[in-house]
Amino acid sequence: MPARINSPFTRFAKKTSTYTGRPATFIIAVLVIVVWACTGPLFGYGDTWQLVINTGTTIITFLMVFLIQNTQTCLPAGRTAIRKRCRSSSMS
């Protein structure tokens, strides 16, 4: 079933993809990893310490897959441009 272009989820997916694609969001993600790594000695590099980052990144990745899929489904012109770019670079 195709997504409606103006559905609440589609609007949410577009806004989220806009924010997650910004350099500031990447910097925040890196800072989270640095803070997590720095807390390793405090928690003795234990299983719970590792589980925190593994669970967090898994949940974010899982949700982002659906947001990215929705965004790409709603933007067929973008997919066509990407396909053309991929074909032209594979021919060179």
Side-chain angles (χ1 to χ4, degrees):
M1 175 167 63
R4 292 184 329 207
I5 292 179
N6 215 11
S7 73
F9 180 74
T10 301
R11 288 191 306 269
F12 171 75
K14 285 181 183 179
K15 285 182 182 179
T16 303
S17 67
T18 299
Y19 289 120
T20 57
R22 292 183 176 171
T25 308
F26 177 77
I27 290 168
I28 291 169
V30 169
L31 289 175
V32 167
I33 301 298
V34 168
V35 168
W36 170 79
C38 290
T39 62
L42 296 172
F43 296 101
Y45 300 102
D47 291 342
T48 303
W49 175 75
Q50 292 178 24
L51 189 61
V52 166
I53 198 71
N54 289 340
T55 303
T57 56
T58 300
I59 290 169
I60 290 170
T61 302
F62 180 76
L63 295 174
M64 287 303 293
V65 165
F66 294 103
L67 290 175
I68 291 167
Q69 179 61 40
N70 180 273
T71 303
Q72 288 182 349
T73 301
C74 293
L75 301 172
R79 286 194 316 200
T80 303
I82 290 171
R83 270 193 234 123
K84 286 180 182 177
R85 192 174 351 140
C86 290
R87 280 190 211 134
S88 65
S89 57
S90 66
M91 293 180 184
S92 357

